[in-house]
Amino acid sequence: VSAARPADGLRWAKLADVALAEVPDGEHLRRASLLNNLATVHRVLGEYAEARALLEEAVDILERALGAEHVRVVASLIN
């Protein structure tokens, strides 16, 4: 997902979302990464409410899968 070219980032994110539906991802960690990256694109576009909602969903997934103290959870919170 590209923050430098947000329109391309949104397009690729949609394709990635479709692809993820076909890939086993029991803990949804790949989905959390996609949501985190997509939030960055929305932040670049100035769509802060959407970015926040996506980041909150990503953090929720990561916390359930890895625990609140895991480095990936903390890194997502910094975003």
Side-chain angles (χ1 to χ4, degrees):
V1 177
S2 175
R5 297 189 323 233
D8 288 345
L10 293 174
R11 188 174 318 114
W12 281 109
K14 287 179 186 178
L15 293 171
D17 195 34
V18 170
L20 282 177
E22 302 298 321
V23 177
D25 187 19
E27 294 178 331
H28 305 287
L29 296 177
R30 289 182 183 100
R31 176 140 181 81
S33 291
L34 173 62
L35 293 171
N36 197 330
N37 292 335
L38 188 54
T40 299
V41 173
H42 283 283
R43 189 174 62 231
V44 167
L45 291 170
E47 299 169 351
Y48 302 113
E50 181 66 18
R52 182 182 179 116
L54 291 166
L55 281 173
E56 287 174 353
E57 186 178 349
V59 168
D60 184 52
I61 291 169
L62 292 171
E63 282 181 341
R64 281 185 277 129
L66 304 173
E69 301 299 319
H70 193 277
V71 67
R72 284 184 64 184
V73 175
V74 174
S76 289
L77 289 171
I78 292 171
N79 284 335

